[in-house]
Amino acid sequence: MTTAKDIMHTGATWIPAHETLDRAAQLMRDHKVGALPISANGEQDRMIGILTDRDIVVGCVAMGHDPSKMTAGDLAQGTPRWIDAEAGVEEILEEMQSHQIKRLPVVENKTLIGMISEADLARHLTDEQIAGWAEKVYARG
């Protein structure tokens, strides 16, 4: 059985909630990622959200705010979603589809070990699985 650990990319980089959005954008650039898990007060075992490049653009820049003054924690919203490293493909797809999310942290023994993104799904799933996932994740509703 293919698991989350098989599909994910390793080396997810955390950003502390107090770190500014301009620093977050630099980290995304340097690590070539579009999302960073947000940690509470630098505690890398407590995720309070996920910050995406789109969050920075829509929630900060487009609103006329200064990314050097807003923090990752300012944009942390809702309950962060994650998946166990041993979860199978169907469970991964269900979690992403039911919450309409495009990136999913992977946790093993309560520790973040990676992230699953659209690109990871595209490399590991069938065309039919990808099409079904995209239809549900991108659905308006």
Side-chain angles (χ1 to χ4, degrees):
M1 170 179 86
T2 302
T3 66
K5 194 171 187 175
D6 299 326
I7 293 174
M8 71 176 197
H9 59 274
T10 59
T13 302
W14 289 88
I15 186 152
H18 67 270
E19 194 62 73
T20 60
L21 297 181
D22 61 339
R23 180 66 185 133
Q26 293 164 0
L27 283 170
M28 289 179 190
R29 177 201 60 210
D30 294 349
H31 292 281
K32 297 178 175 72
V33 297
L36 301 169
I38 304 169
S39 64
N41 302 320
E43 298 173 34
Q44 292 191 1
D45 60 345
R46 187 161 161 251
M47 182 172 49
I48 62 166
I50 295 178
L51 178 67
T52 67
D53 46 8
R54 187 174 192 282
D55 292 334
I56 295 170
V57 171
V58 174
C60 177
V61 177
M63 300 298 284
H65 299 297
D66 183 347
S68 69
K69 295 199 175 23
M70 279 188 82
T71 66
D74 291 336
L75 294 182
Q77 300 175 19
T79 302
R81 308 307 308 179
W82 55 271
I83 197 86
D84 187 85
E86 296 305 315
V89 170
E90 292 306 317
E91 192 176 344
I92 295 164
L93 294 176
E94 175 59 30
E95 184 68 18
M96 294 176 89
Q97 291 166 351
S98 65
H99 297 284
Q100 292 188 305
I101 55 177
K102 300 170 191 127
R103 297 171 179 101
L104 188 62
V106 179
V107 174
E108 184 175 61
N109 299 321
K110 298 183 180 180
T111 301
L112 178 73
I113 62 168
M115 293 273 276
I116 296 175
S117 68
E118 292 174 89
D120 299 316
L121 294 178
R123 281 192 291 276
H124 292 91
L125 303 182
T126 67
D127 289 344
E128 292 79 25
Q129 287 172 311
I130 300 277
W133 174 85
E135 182 178 334
K136 290 179 180 148
V137 167
Y138 287 101
R140 302 264 184 225

